Amino acid sequence: TIYYNFNSYAPLCAENSVPTIVFADDLEAGTGKWTFNNGAYQRWQLDSPYGPYAQSGNHSLYANDYPDTISDASARLAAVTIPANAFLHFAHAYGFEAGSIPGDPTTYYFDGGVLEYSINGGSSWTDAGSLINFNGYQGTLFTGAGNPLSGRTAFVGSSHGYISSRLNLASLAGKSVMFRWRMLLDDSGYSLGWWVDNVKIYTCNPVPSAFNKTAPT
């Protein structure tokens, strides 16, 4: 992982290998590959109403952390058939509500986000946290304020700008898989929200060896 101050970038592939892209979406063509489940408020949407903030280009997904009410909102990507030895890589930035409670200096994470996948068309979902091998979940959601995923590990706190996360999808090879980015909020308090950009599914292949050249004799 490469660090620039707080920002952490997951490499696409190991050294001496290059990616072969199977699927990519930088959101520049809109949200045609996505389905939003927002509930009563417009959480997930194309771009932030507060101003543009993309990792590249002009557009990204944004999940609004305001208003501060109990919420379970998700952005679901259309199904992709996963090849052998594939990876999922995405850029994201987030600021989720965190803080202490009176008389207790401990930092608690009240809001957060998780990544889940489905192999049965969305009938059931599995947490993808165990597949993340770069920049995974950092904390546990506070129990006692109504967050729908209280007690689960999640992306929490602040990313301090864009980072990237990577998942090893080897266990999903050959399956048609949907992924969803799911933001969970408690009953009060809010922060910046969650941005997602540059989603890629790909395989890694060795860099071809240079041709050996023999000098003429």
Side-chain angles (χ1 to χ4, degrees):
T1 305
I2 303 172
Y3 292 94
Y4 299 100
N5 295 326
F6 287 106
N7 300 326
S8 177
Y9 298 90
L12 287 173
C13 296
E15 189 175 356
N16 297 322
S17 63
V18 293
T20 298
I21 303 298
V22 175
F23 170 90
D25 190 4
D26 59 7
L27 283 306
E28 297 304 301
T31 58
K33 299 170 185 175
W34 298 83
T35 300
F36 301 147
N37 182 7
N38 280 324
Y41 299 98
Q42 188 175 8
R43 303 294 188 188
W44 286 102
Q45 55 196 284
L46 181 67
D47 298 327
S48 165
Y50 310 116
Y53 187 48
Q55 191 212 30
S56 65
N58 298 309
H59 301 290
S60 61
L61 293 183
Y62 172 66
N64 200 342
D65 199 0
Y66 182 83
D68 48 345
T69 60
I70 295 173
S71 297
D72 184 348
S74 61
R76 187 184 75 214
L77 183 63
V80 178
T81 299
I82 306 300
N85 300 313
F87 297 90
L88 168 65
H89 188 285
F90 63 99
H92 57 143
Y94 51 85
F96 294 123
E97 183 202 3
S100 59
I101 57 179
D104 184 350
T106 304
T107 297
Y108 293 103
Y109 301 111
F110 301 108
D111 298 341
V114 297
L115 178 59
E116 299 177 325
Y117 66 89
S118 175
I119 58 174
N120 55 15
S123 295
S124 61
W125 294 87
T126 301
D127 194 304
S130 64
L131 304 182
I132 304 175
N133 59 10
F134 280 94
N135 296 331
Y137 301 156
Q138 306 95 344
T140 301
L141 293 169
F142 178 77
T143 298
N147 190 304
L149 290 188
S150 294
R152 269 179 57 172
T153 54
F155 295 114
V156 294
S158 175
S159 64
H160 301 280
Y162 267 101
I163 65 171
S164 56
S165 294
R166 192 181 82 173
L167 286 73
N168 186 330
L169 305 182
S171 62
L172 300 177
K175 301 182 186 299
S176 178
V177 182
M178 294 191 301
F179 294 94
R180 70 177 182 183
W181 284 253
R182 188 179 174 195
M183 184 176 71
L184 297 310
L185 310 180
D186 73 349
D187 59 6
S188 64
Y190 62 92
S191 189
L192 298 173
W194 197 5
W195 292 260
V196 173
D197 200 1
N198 290 318
V199 179
K200 300 180 181 70
I201 296 174
Y202 59 95
T203 59
C204 292
N205 302 286
V207 176
S209 299
F211 291 106
N212 292 323
K213 294 183 179 181
T214 302
T217 56

